[in-house]
Amino acid sequence: MFALDGTRYALRLDQVTRVIRAAALTTIPHAPDVVLGILDLQGEVIPVINLRRRFGLPERGIGCEDQFVVARTQKLALALHVDTTEVVCEQADGGVVPADEIVAGTRFLAGVTRTADGLVLIHDLDTLLFPEEQAQITATLEQVERG
């Protein structure tokens, strides 16, 4: 689980690779608006995604206490800039309500679950990037790797 502006979100654990402290990024020209920059993580170039922009939250710079959640979609590795990370939480079968059962047409969400501390929005990592953004990021990363 992670937090942005006091709202708690979660990803499926099988998509998360690791959590690291926020670091300086290299900006890349002509990247999609949702990309903050790229990060060299042990030789792998990873785009860092601005979830605040994607979710329509107030913008702010990267702080030294912020974290990056490194995760994998079906097609690419990326890092999500988050305010804080929290515990790993297992949910029993039936513990997650699909997002469309609550509000139809919710983008980016796979569902909602309840914990002792309140509701948690479960993010669908594979819908985070629009197809054209993913294609543009992939092309840019290929250019960076070629030098």
Side-chain angles (χ1 to χ4, degrees):
M1 292 191 311
F2 61 90
L4 281 171
D5 270 1
T7 300
R8 296 166 64 226
Y9 298 88
L11 294 173
R12 288 193 344 251
L13 188 57
D14 64 345
Q15 292 180 312
V16 177
T17 306
R18 68 176 86 173
V19 175
I20 61 173
R21 282 191 160 293
L25 302 177
T26 301
T27 57
I28 48 177
H30 312 296
D33 195 38
V34 73
V35 176
L36 287 169
I38 54 175
L39 175 69
D40 183 347
L41 186 61
Q42 297 175 322
E44 185 176 13
V45 178
I46 298 177
V48 178
I49 305 302
N50 184 343
L51 288 180
R52 292 176 169 282
R53 188 168 293 152
R54 178 54 24 115
F55 294 164
L57 299 172
E59 295 275 339
R60 72 171 179 77
I62 297 173
C64 53
E65 296 298 319
D66 294 349
Q67 296 177 314
F68 294 151
V69 176
V70 181
R72 287 202 171 276
T73 69
Q74 291 181 5
K75 298 185 180 187
L76 107 125
L78 46 82
L80 308 174
H81 173 219
V82 301
D83 297 346
T84 60
T85 56
E86 298 181 18
V87 297
V88 172
C89 178
E90 278 190 52
Q91 289 297 311
D93 289 340
V96 176
V97 177
D100 280 342
E101 287 184 17
I102 298 169
V103 178
T106 52
R107 296 187 312 188
F108 320 125
L109 293 179
V112 177
T113 191
R114 182 173 307 187
T115 68
D117 296 323
L119 296 176
V120 177
L121 304 175
I122 302 171
H123 182 68
D124 182 355
L125 194 57
D126 288 313
T127 63
L128 175 67
L129 299 174
F130 300 130
E132 62 276 3
E133 290 172 331
Q134 186 165 312
Q136 190 176 0
I137 290 170
T138 301
T140 300
L141 290 176
E142 288 172 358
Q143 287 177 344
V144 167
E145 289 177 3
R146 279 183 274 177

